[in-house]
Amino acid sequence: MGFDFVYLIEVVVGGLLSGVMYSLVAIGFVLIYKSSGIFNFAQGTMLLFASLTFVKMTENGIGFWTALFIASGIMVIVGVATEKFVMRPLANQDLLALFMATVGLATFQEGFAQFMWDSDVHGLQMNKFIDISLLDSNPIFISDYIPWLDLLIPRFDIFASLVAGTLIVVLAFFFQKTNTGMALRAVSDDHMAAMAVGIPLQKVWAIVWAVTGIIALVSGLLWAERVSVSFTLIEAVMKALPVILIGGLTSIPGAIIGGLVIGVGEKLGEIYLADLFGGQGIELWFAYFMALMFLVVRPQGMFGEKLIERV
Amino acid sequence: MSDILKVENVTLQFGGVKAITDISFNVKEGEVCAVIGPNGAGKSSMLNVINGVYLPQIGTVTYNGVTRKTINPRDAAIAGMARTFQNIALFQGMTVLENIMTGRNLFMKSTWLEQGLNIGRAREDERVNRLAVEKVIKFLQIESIRKTPVAKLPYGLQKRVELGRALVAEPKILLLDEPMAGMNLEEKADMSCFILEINKEQGITTVMIEHDMGVVMDISDHVVVLDYGKKIGDGTPSEVMANQDVIDAYLGVSH
Amino acid sequence: MIYRETGNFVTNYLKDRDIFSMTFDKVVVILGLLYLFLWVPTTSEYFLSAHVIPILAVGLATVGLNILTGLTGQLSLGTAGFMCVGAFGTYNLMLRVPDGLMSLPVALLLSGIAAGFVGVVFGLPAIRIKGFYLLVSTLAAQYFVWWFFNSYAWFLNYESSGVVAIAPKFYDYWGLGNLLGVDMQGYPARYLLALTICIGLSYFAKNLLRSNTGRNFMSVRDRDIAASVMGISVPRAKLLAFFISCFYCGVAGGIYSFLYIGNVDLMIYGVDRSFTILFMLIIGGLGSISGSWLGAIFVYEFPIIFTFIGDFIFQGAFNTAVVENVSNMVYGIFIIALLIREPGGFAALWGTTKQKLRMWPYPH
């Protein structure tokens, strides 16, 4: 039987699209790491909290855009509060301690989010709110456009990619062209030097965490549509870890490419390699193995900064 | 006296920056050799090359008659090299005693199993090496702080502890990177005494990077001067001090 | 009784290394051991089975994680995966090796060693990869181990439900129980086995901490370049740490399945278990063996006590979801608060208390 080329394309495209979702989460991580060296383990729970808050609001009759607005506001507050009450008091401690603080934060948020709202699974269907053809639940049949390419692409994946892409472009613009963006890059390069030229460190960090909160909201909503809002959201999001680690903890383009690599790799592995390992569900660990193999060859990730230890 | 250390045509580059360009010098066994030069001249990098922490693009280091492009830092330690670092590389999570004891790790004979059970050779190891460490602690006059966590000590004392940790390994050659940086006059005098005594009493060759000219003139037998990664002076302290190139470098005459 | 060190002079270097230097401490420890070995087995079965034995299991895993993360600085999220290897290993050894050759203590030991080797395999990347990047390796271990035992049903003896209850005969050590007329499957017997193992391994860990190996581990944690410059083999230290740590976790897993739950069940060794043990480690204090035990007790008992308060004072107002969420919040708050005020965790708090006791009634 001939190799099903079209199926391969479908798998790859599917992988790319889900990879974009991973990238989005990864970017949140990278932002914070770049500007403060903190590995924010609480990124996943921020997603949960954001989407849970949003969903609870819409379920109680609040309109989509209003809820989005309020949720954004809440996430900004959460971000700033985190920086002020958790990160700042720990500023003079080593990175391991800061990481553990984010682990503590993650646990707290996980408990708090479900305590405040509830632990049920909530579905999210955006086409109930936004009436555009892209959110229609029918998949797009590529064969409608290219006769020989018999692929099915879920519309939502395209929508998610567009949203993610837009966000990435906005962020890129923000970093490269605006003053605040430049200040952020300065801070991530060298705190001391940034302070020396008068950049207000605390304000910059507050902004970073606020922006991360918003990213958490956007990615949370996109993910929620796919896997519903429940604490298992966190597990799905943990996959973003290999993404950042492949892309390099300090690189946004790395996060994007890493996401695509993992997305595609996972799908390919699941479909073509599963038989080799005699079991289903190798996607559980495949992403991590990919990252592992990659890191062994290049310990700082694709675009990460090489750690030159000065003695 | 023979040369214990020979550096030949070493060039070290980091990306586009040449830290060291074609440097050669010899160190005689038992001497105190000071490596001096303005900041950024490549002195620490030179030490790191000797020690095996950096790999030079060109050149070799001959130690104890064995010529190598580079040496694994661990092998260097086994071969009798010990060193201190410019920014103090003490183990911040441990006490003074524990830090200096780590310097004896090559003398430990017991396995981890014996150590976990605290039997046999493990107990002997601790006792025998503690004895050696106590000798150094007494020499450096740091008895009162032996159980203090190193992170709580002032800078000058940390540097002394670091010297102790290097010394306790019974090295043949001691590489000291700015052992007196940040010290006041009194501390410098103490440190100079320690270094001199180590060299004269125990015959340990010492290569030290140092900025204080007074100290260099007083205690070194041989001086090597670096500037912008190149060697511009090599000889006895008085020879080097009279060298016009050296004077120019320090006074900042433009190149 | 005045808690003082006066008059207690050390006369040789070996004495300086005593774990308990004050007579008061020595007496307390001996009394404590007597209490644990002689009196506790006579307490209620419920107390043993629901409180003591599980804490022994998770506490041991915490000590294991401490060796890897607290002592050697290698971050690990794969703890439960290694526990899983221990549990499944013990089960398969007991099941498949002829009765005359195998007994529970031996099986626990051997499966621990197996877990140790698995740990070394996943620790190999640590030679190249540093810092947070290392998380991938232990997470890979966690997920891989779980998937492995889930996919190959042979390990569970093809039990379709996915859970295997442990047969009573597995508890007897070569017929010793019958000989002594003791019910080896009973909780007192299980407790004594767990206790012996935990005390033995904790003692071992404490010794390790204060020995050359422990110092080597800590030097790798603090400044690995300086460590290698002094002749310490950093790769060897890291791999040894992985081996010993995962050995502890494996044994802990065996204890958890065999002596606590009585089932071999994949579900209890998921990544959330790894996190729980990490919380125990952080709250207890990294680098301290006694801290690990304190942390384990706190994290394990809190939900139980909280539920009890709910039942007692609020008439059962707290359902399981509420308890779980509040517990998570509390763990999070404690971790952050401790990191801010007392990074050494409960162990440091306890140390400060003892310091104050030694000074009492003087303030300093």
Side-chain angles (χ1 to χ4, degrees), chain B residues 17-35:
Chain B
V17 179
K18 266 208 176 123
I20 303 176
T21 313
D22 195 31
I23 293 195
S24 307
F25 65 93
N26 299 344
V27 177
K28 284 197 172 40
E29 197 172 345
E31 75 173 8
V32 174
C33 173
V35 177

Side-chain angles (χ1 to χ4, degrees), chain B residues 74 88-89 93 115-116 130, chain C residues 16 207 213 215 222-223 230-231:
Chain B
R74 198 166 167 259
I88 301 186
Q115 288 165 19
R130 175 71 187 269
Chain C
D16 198 21
N207 281 332
T213 306
R215 285 190 295 263
D222 290 340
R223 272 292 168 86
M230 286 185 345

Side-chain angles (χ1 to χ4, degrees), chain B residues 2 10-11 14 16 18 25 27-28 30 89 103 121 123 144 147 149 163 168 183 200 221 231-232 234 239 250 253:
Chain B
S2 59
V10 165
T11 299
F14 293 112
K18 266 208 176 123
F25 65 93
V27 177
K28 284 197 172 40
R121 294 191 296 186
R123 293 171 73 90
S144 56
K147 296 278 175 82
L163 179 62
V168 97
M183 288 189 179
K200 302 300 171 214
D221 305 312
K231 187 175 84 167
I232 59 171
D234 187 346
E239 281 170 11
Y250 271 94
V253 171

